[in-house]
Amino acid sequence: MVAPLKVGLAGLGTVGASVVRMLEHERAALALRCGRPIEVVAVSARSRGKDRGIDTRKLRWVADPVALAGDREIEVFVELIGGEGNPARSAVTAALATGKSVVTANKALLACHGVELATLAEKHDAALNFEAAVGGAIPIVKTLREGLAGNVIERVYGILNGTCNYILSRMEQDRISFEECLREAQRLGYAEADPSFDIEGHDTAQKLAILASLTFGTKVDPSAIYVEGITSITTADLEAADELGYRIKLLGVAVKTEQGIEQRVHPTMVRKDSAIAQVMGVTNAVTIDARSIAPITLVGPGAGGMATASAVVSDIADIARGIRVAPFGRPSARLAATRKAPMQRHEGGYYIRLLAVDKPGTAATIARRLAQHKISMESIVQRHRGPPPANPKRPAPVPVILITYATTEDAVRKALAAVKRDRVTSGEPQLIRIEKN
Ligand SMILES: NC(=O)c1ccc[n+]([C@@H]2O[C@H](COP(=O)([O-])OP(=O)(O)OC[C@H]3O[C@@H](n4cnc5c(N)ncnc54)[C@H](OP(=O)(O)O)[C@@H]3O)[C@@H](O)[C@H]2O)c1
């Protein structure tokens, strides 16, 4: 019998406890698939007495995760504590520095210190596996790093945050306001008490930084990403999108352009018949456009104990099999620096919702300004007027929805600034980028 792979696991919360459970339940099958058993020998968490629904009596308890990372008995250190700082960072560093392989689900740690940790892993010939950090159970890291190694990838984009997709799906399907959907998501445990990291797009950005690195060989760097969240999206936008054949999704997009790699996170209109538009609720999805093959879309649970454990266990299994791949698919010294792409240069179609003042010449003024900036219209829809205003002498403005053909963001912003100066609209326009798919 081959000696078991000895694992030390730090963090026994939602994911950690599920990993212990899965390794126990699938023990025999994993031993067969990997050629050797996998055995958790020591664990670490904050509170020893907590009931976690798993039997920890046989497992050695090490109070300090950094001490566990350096423990001589273990070959693999599994970090499921979370957070970009210590103890997660110091524990992972300690493990790699002593040549131990590491498995982590910690997107924040990788987004902030991924290159430094990958360099350390390579120096000590250790694996640094992080399938669970993006897309939960979806094997997107392996797909990009290994499964598509022979392809030139032009674009990767996806729904990477279940909370945002849940809110947008509910708003669209049941015409419920953003605030109400958020409260519901919090009640159901899909959103944090402080949801800002999710709804303002930063969680998606951290995951996108990892995907972009794997796809384009760039240094993981969330500061190179343009980020816009979903808080400005209204049911009126979702209704209009629906009528025009679109859905609105918070997408993380990394795409090769003539100016370099563009990385952005923002609410996006996608055609209703596209694969990504079918993804509703907390589910995640990633689409990969590679040069010589039709697009690939992977869909699955992006979070939850067992979903995340599935990816963590697959990473541990790779180590048991002796598989070592450079963490970001190439030597970390060869990862290229990346800059934030200026959004003025972004090219694509746009959805614009304006509140047009009801007076003669308004439509002609708007059309002239758009034409001056060489913006062509795919469609123009006038929506129902809002409720009557307090002053009946001033009729309520009329919502007008414009869908443009491909243009630049610079042209759209300049045209809208000119329309504003013309005083034919009220309030701020809503602008949503359309992603070709
Ligand atoms: N939950 C998901 O669906 C999901 C999905 C994808 C990725 N992830 C990632 O997986 C990781 C773990 O997430 P989770 O949801 O399992 O978190 P969690 O439920 O909050 O669990 C965190 C664990 O870390 C332990 N811990 C915290 N501080 C510690 C310290 N100073 N020393 C030792 N142990 C400490 C906690 O101990 P106590 O239990 O004693 O408090 C707890 O067991 C994070 O990086 C997260 O981003 C989670």
Side-chain angles (χ1 to χ4, degrees), residues 298-369:
L298 303 180
V299 181
M306 283 319 245
T308 313
S310 156
V312 172
V313 169
S314 137
D315 276 347
I316 300 172
D318 268 0
I319 294 166
R321 291 175 175 126
I323 297 172
R324 296 276 181 286
V325 183
F328 293 98
R330 67 198 75 199
S332 50
R334 303 290 297 276
L335 295 171
T338 174
R339 279 187 306 132
K340 196 170 185 166
M343 284 308 282
Q344 303 95 290
R345 283 205 221 133
H346 171 71
E347 287 183 31
Y350 285 80
Y351 159 100
I352 302 164
R353 180 168 52 82
L354 298 166
L355 281 176
V357 174
D358 192 4
K359 65 178 184 189
T362 294
T365 304
I366 296 171
R368 193 176 63 245
R369 290 304 187 191

Side-chain angles (χ1 to χ4, degrees), residues 10-17 44-50 52 61-66 79-83 86-88 104-109 132-137 192 203 206-207 302-309 312:
L12 288 171
T14 307
V15 181
S44 177
R46 245 176 333 209
S47 126
R48 189 168 186 178
K50 208 187 236 180
R52 306 169 189 279
W61 184 270
V62 182
D64 177 8
V66 182
E79 184 277 308
L80 299 168
I81 296 170
N86 296 335
T104 178
N106 191 338
K107 60 187 177 258
L109 180 70
V134 187
E192 302 280 336
D203 175 78
Q206 286 192 337
K207 294 167 181 167
M306 283 319 245
T308 313
V312 172

Side-chain angles (χ1 to χ4, degrees), residues 237-272:
D237 295 317
L238 289 151
E239 249 173 74
D242 185 31
E243 281 174 31
L244 292 159
Y246 292 93
R247 286 215 165 103
I248 300 173
K249 298 289 181 191
L250 182 76
L251 291 191
V253 183
V255 58
K256 200 184 275 177
T257 71
E258 277 171 20
Q259 281 84 34
I261 306 302
E262 186 177 280
Q263 297 181 57
R264 48 192 165 80
V265 172
H266 51 76
T268 310
M269 306 262 291
V270 290
R271 292 215 65 88
K272 245 196 259 177

Side-chain angles (χ1 to χ4, degrees), residues 345-422:
R345 283 205 221 133
H346 171 71
E347 287 183 31
Y350 285 80
Y351 159 100
I352 302 164
R353 180 168 52 82
L354 298 166
L355 281 176
V357 174
D358 192 4
K359 65 178 184 189
T362 294
T365 304
I366 296 171
R368 193 176 63 245
R369 290 304 187 191
L370 293 168
Q372 275 171 356
H373 289 87
K374 300 189 168 50
I375 299 169
S376 311
M377 289 296 125
E378 185 184 299
S379 56
I380 302 178
V381 182
Q382 188 172 317
R383 308 280 295 167
H384 310 296
R385 198 186 294 279
N391 179 357
K393 284 189 186 155
R394 300 180 76 203
V398 182
V400 175
I401 314 289
L402 312 169
I403 299 282
T404 78
Y405 283 115
T407 178
T408 64
E409 182 136 343
D410 192 42
V412 172
R413 298 228 178 248
K414 283 181 176 152
L416 291 178
V419 168
K420 193 173 182 184
R421 285 195 298 275
D422 293 333

Side-chain angles (χ1 to χ4, degrees), residues 89-150:
R89 184 182 179 189
S90 47
V92 167
T93 304
L96 294 173
T98 49
K100 290 186 183 68
S101 287
V102 168
V103 173
T104 178
N106 191 338
K107 60 187 177 258
L109 180 70
L110 289 157
C112 301
H113 310 294
V115 180
E116 164 199 312
L117 295 174
T119 307
L120 194 60
E122 288 162 33
K123 185 173 163 195
H124 294 278
D125 194 25
L128 171 60
N129 292 351
F130 47 86
E131 185 61 73
V134 187
I138 303 173
I140 184 61
V141 171
K142 218 171 168 55
T143 299
L144 290 170
R145 192 172 58 189
E146 293 147 65
L148 294 173

